[in-house]
Structures are given as C-alpha cells and as structure tokens.
Amino acid sequence: MDATSQESFLEFVTNRSTALLRTAVLLSGGDRHAGEDLLQNALIKAAGRWHRIDEPEAYVRQILYRQQVSRWRLKGRRKELTVAEPPDPGADTRTGSATDATGAAELRLVMRDALSRLTARQRAVLVLRYFEDLPEADVARLLGVSVGTVRSTTHRSLARLRVLAPELSVLDPSDGEQQQPPSRDFAPVEVRP
C-alpha cells in the first residue's frame, strides 16, 4: 500500500470505525469482542484491496455481512444461554417509562439480550432490515438468499423477539393490534392456540 492509500485508509478507519463497530457488534449478537474481531478481519481484507475500492464503507459493510453469514453457516447449532436462576415470569422488569433515561437504557439491554438469543441468521436479517434500513432485495443479495427467505426469516425473528422480550412491546406503535390485510381478496383468519 502506497503512502496516499495508507493515509486514506487510516482516515477512513478513524472516521467510520465507531459506526462499523456498532453494526459488527449487532451482527455478533451483542458480543463486543466478537464484533471487534469481525470488524478487524473486514478491515484487514479491505486494506489489501484499498487502492481498488470505489465505495469503502459499502465494501467494508459487505465484508462484515458476508463474514457473519460464513460464521453462522459453519457454526451450525449455537450455544444455549445459561443463567444462574430462571427469571421470574411474574416480575415487571421495567423500572420506568421508556422515555426516561433508565427505561431507555433498560430497553436497550433487553433488546441486546433478546438479539443475542436469536440465531446468527435471524440477527443478520434484522440488523440489515431495521438497523441498516435496507430493502429486502438488498438484504437477500448481501446474504446470498432469496427475498422470500428474508421475508420469512424477518417474520420468524420478530415473532421470536416478541416471545423473548415482551417488554419491548412498548416500542410497538400498534400496541398489539392486528393489522388488516390491505386487499379485500383476503378474509381475516381466526387463529386459535
């Protein structure tokens, strides 16, 4: 790498590493150390091709996504989260409203914990769809899956988040109301447990 490329690379890392690390940590299920490793590997790969990269941030983000996909494809089954005592299902874990600082911090912790209990694929899809705000087609292209897979994984992941962290329902603007289908061709279906 020549001096100009090296300076450009160092400037990019200085300016964008915080945002990229946030994404890497989310992709790693809230594990900061795994996120740092993921970002470091992505930056190493980008450094080798730095003089040929037109859009550095997009390139590094794509490396992050693809590395994470490779990890969950190789990993197979993920480890089960163990705790000292089972949680009390009747206890209210919220200490305040979602608008105060304590409530917001607690919701972030709950969200991080819930994300860490999803599979790597589910996390990747949710991060790309909702944190990165990418359309389904882009998510499918980045992860190397079909748009239908992205849709079904998103649906299952959100349903799993609702089970894992019901206290996140304060963030749901519909407050649990079912949305009616947009077309008259579909009749409402009653779902029985």
Side-chain angles (χ1 to χ4, degrees), residues 23 53 58 64 127 133 141 171:
T23 300
I53 300 173
L64 286 173
V127 168
D133 199 28
R141 183 181 46 77
L171 301 176

Side-chain angles (χ1 to χ4, degrees), residues 1-77:
M1 183 182 294
D2 63 355
T4 307
S5 295
Q6 187 173 4
E7 185 177 317
S8 169
F9 180 73
L10 290 174
E11 181 180 329
F12 172 77
V13 170
T14 302
N15 292 333
R16 298 305 304 154
S17 62
T18 303
L20 291 169
L21 179 59
R22 232 183 349 254
T23 300
V25 169
L26 285 171
L27 287 170
S28 301
D31 184 350
R32 183 169 176 88
H33 298 293
E36 289 171 350
D37 289 345
L38 186 66
L39 178 59
Q40 182 178 1
N41 290 334
L43 290 174
I44 288 169
K45 287 183 178 185
R49 299 175 163 253
W50 192 254
H51 62 282
R52 292 182 276 182
I53 300 173
D54 293 329
E55 295 180 39
E57 185 159 355
Y59 189 83
V60 171
R61 285 182 184 275
Q62 188 164 16
I63 293 171
L64 286 173
Y65 306 142
R66 289 189 175 172
Q67 280 186 311
Q68 186 60 25
V69 167
S70 295
R71 282 184 181 183
W72 53 258
R73 283 187 176 154
L74 293 175
K75 231 179 201 184
R77 297 184 57 88

Side-chain angles (χ1 to χ4, degrees), residues 93-107:
T93 58
R94 287 178 274 176
T95 60
S97 70
T99 57
D100 70 5
T102 305
E106 189 167 327
L107 284 176

Side-chain angles (χ1 to χ4, degrees), residues 108-123:
R108 281 194 302 273
L109 290 173
V110 168
M111 176 62 90
R112 190 179 107 192
D113 180 53
L115 281 173
S116 72
R117 295 171 65 195
L118 294 176
T119 65
R121 176 185 233 171
Q122 290 173 326
R123 261 194 320 273

